[in-house]
Amino acid sequence: MRWPVIALLDFVTIISFENIFYPFQNQGLSVVISWIFLLFAYVIPYEMIVSQMGLTFETQSGGLASWVRRSSNDTLGYWTSWMYWIQSVPYIVDVSNSVIVSFSWMILGDNSLGSRMSTFQFGLLTFCIILAFILLENVFKNSLEILSLIGGGAMFIMSALFILLAGYSVLHGTHMATQPFNFHAFMPNFSLKYFSTTGLLIFAMSGAELAAPYLVQMRDPKHEFPKAMWLLAIMTAILTVLGTLSLAVFFDANNIPHDFKMNGPYYAFHMLGQELGLGKILMYLFAVVQAIFMMAQLAVLLDASSRVFAGDVADKFMPRWMTKKNKNGRPIHSYMMTTGLSLFLLLLTGTLPNINTIYNWLLNINGIVSPYKTCWVFFAFVAVRWQQNKFQSDYIFIKNRIGALLVGGWCLVFTFVCATLGFIPQEAEFGTRSFDHQLLLNIITVFVLFGLGFVMPILRKHELHK
């Protein structure tokens, strides 16, 4: 595999068109400054760190968990595996919600889903989608992998198309919806809310380590893998910065619709179609692509979520019954746990007032648990550079050991702080009942998801002493 292919595969897995919408709603036009700052202070170091770690452990198939296990110990390797798996559960529910929303736009052609469906019906349909995909994964081995290729490629094309057509519209007389559109409009308001939303930006831009398993399929990983990471950083910058500026053409950053995170992409293509005289054609096209892309994401996530139960730390820390596999070689009980935890999250969402709030809350949960998982990338890097005489790599990011430790430590602390600040509810005002309710849900969710990680080794120890 050549390096541009690796970069594209990683790109469509990490970031999609909708990932630029919720930061735009949270931070307005100032998010452009946030994206640029993160690109240089976080994303480029992050992806170069992944380059070094991938080439240090290129013979290890366990990915991030193997990096941590080899650089520290088996216990921390287990915790990396657990957190890598558990952070995918809220995203599985979130993606299933997006599947429903995309089909609602295909069928209804508007944003009326919230008024036509109760939160109970929404939760039940979400659960049915997760269950259906688990059964498809289980019965037809690799049956949905083709969706990943089609959906990812189509979403990349649609994202690029939106940016290009938005630029075309401006050049042909379309006026910017965001006014004033000047230097001061881009200046961030450094408040607690601003920093509490940064975890979602990290969630949108993280995941470069997913490319590590492809190293063994590259012809010259020493030279080509770092190139793939640089290209990934450039593509991420283009989508986030130019994509946000394109949104400012059609949406007033000072007066964004309340359901922007859920329905914003459909509004965007609807407005673009109207501007170009195409009616709803682009909106319906995006809805189809979004449905395919999200179903592909769901298929990949459900498959990946089972790997922790079959990884190189599973035997020591996981009860034997958790690693039991069916005739297709898939750990059947991991799917049952995924289903159970998805149901737990859906029961929590049932306490929220409407579908839009559910959608936003699940996004915010991802902005907490996903950055906590990403912390392990930087932990492993710091551990490797701390004891660098024990490890050999064909690529070294920052040859000076102290400099490397400072950059790795910065990324680790920054990611951890942003994840922790993510507990602060973003869609409710401080002091209101809604704020207290969502804060409690955030604490309960993270406590249960991460807390279960303590239970598995205890069950395994009890099993061994029978």
Side-chain angles (χ1 to χ4, degrees), residues 91-365:
Y91 194 43
I92 285 169
V93 179
D94 183 32
V95 168
S96 302
N97 285 349
S98 294
V99 171
I100 297 171
V101 173
S102 63
F103 275 101
S104 77
W105 277 88
M106 273 190 272
I107 296 167
L108 303 172
D110 56 33
N111 64 347
S112 61
L113 176 68
S115 61
R116 293 170 181 265
M117 185 179 286
S118 68
T119 55
F120 173 77
Q121 292 169 326
F122 188 66
L124 184 62
L125 189 53
T126 300
F127 184 71
C128 288
I129 288 173
I130 294 171
L131 201 57
F133 268 73
I134 284 175
L135 292 173
L136 284 170
E137 287 275 356
N138 188 39
V139 175
F140 305 108
K141 190 175 182 179
N142 301 326
S143 60
L144 299 172
E145 286 185 358
I146 189 66
L147 277 178
S148 184
L149 181 62
I150 297 171
M155 180 56 73
F156 177 72
I157 292 169
M158 289 298 290
S159 303
L161 188 66
F162 179 80
I163 293 170
L164 290 171
L165 291 178
Y168 175 85
S169 298
V170 171
L171 291 174
H172 287 78
T174 300
H175 295 288
M176 299 289 293
T178 301
Q179 294 295 336
F181 190 79
N182 54 29
F183 177 77
H184 295 289
F186 288 88
M187 287 297 98
N189 175 23
F190 295 114
S191 62
L192 186 60
K193 182 176 181 182
Y194 175 87
F195 289 109
S196 72
T197 61
T198 306
L200 273 173
L201 275 73
I202 292 175
F203 163 62
M205 303 173 95
S206 63
E209 66 278 2
L210 292 169
Y214 296 110
L215 271 163
V216 294
Q217 299 179 42
M218 298 185 77
R219 187 168 55 186
D220 182 15
K222 175 182 177 180
H223 296 103
E224 293 202 343
F225 192 65
K227 285 183 183 178
M229 292 298 100
W230 274 109
L231 181 56
L232 177 63
I234 292 167
M235 289 194 297
T236 302
I238 290 171
L239 177 60
T240 53
V241 176
L242 296 185
T244 301
L245 293 173
S246 299
L247 291 182
V249 174
F250 300 105
F251 301 96
D252 181 0
N254 306 303
N255 187 26
I256 297 171
H258 75 285
D259 60 346
F260 191 69
K261 293 178 183 178
M262 183 169 78
N263 293 316
Y266 305 95
Y267 293 153
F269 275 101
H270 184 200
M271 294 169 79
L272 180 62
Q274 287 184 319
E275 196 68 35
L276 298 173
L278 298 173
K280 290 187 173 183
I281 292 174
L282 290 177
M283 182 271 289
Y284 281 116
L285 181 61
F286 175 77
V288 172
V289 169
Q290 176 79 335
I292 295 170
F293 180 71
M294 285 300 164
M295 287 189 288
Q297 289 265 24
L298 192 54
V300 171
L301 284 167
L302 288 170
D303 181 60
S305 69
S306 67
R307 291 175 193 166
V308 64
F309 300 99
D312 50 11
V313 295
D315 187 60
K316 186 175 179 181
F317 295 96
M318 288 285 180
R320 181 71 65 185
W321 54 270
M322 279 304 300
T323 57
K324 180 182 176 182
K325 296 180 180 179
N326 64 7
K327 63 182 181 181
N328 290 324
R330 296 179 182 272
I332 189 67
H333 289 124
S334 76
Y335 290 121
M336 293 175 63
M337 180 169 278
T338 301
T339 307
L341 287 171
S342 298
L343 185 59
F344 159 73
L345 285 176
L346 289 168
L347 289 173
L348 290 182
T349 63
T351 66
L352 295 169
N354 55 58
I355 290 174
N356 186 51
T357 308
I358 290 172
Y359 196 93
N360 292 343
W361 177 74
L362 281 167
L363 269 177
N364 294 345
I365 286 293

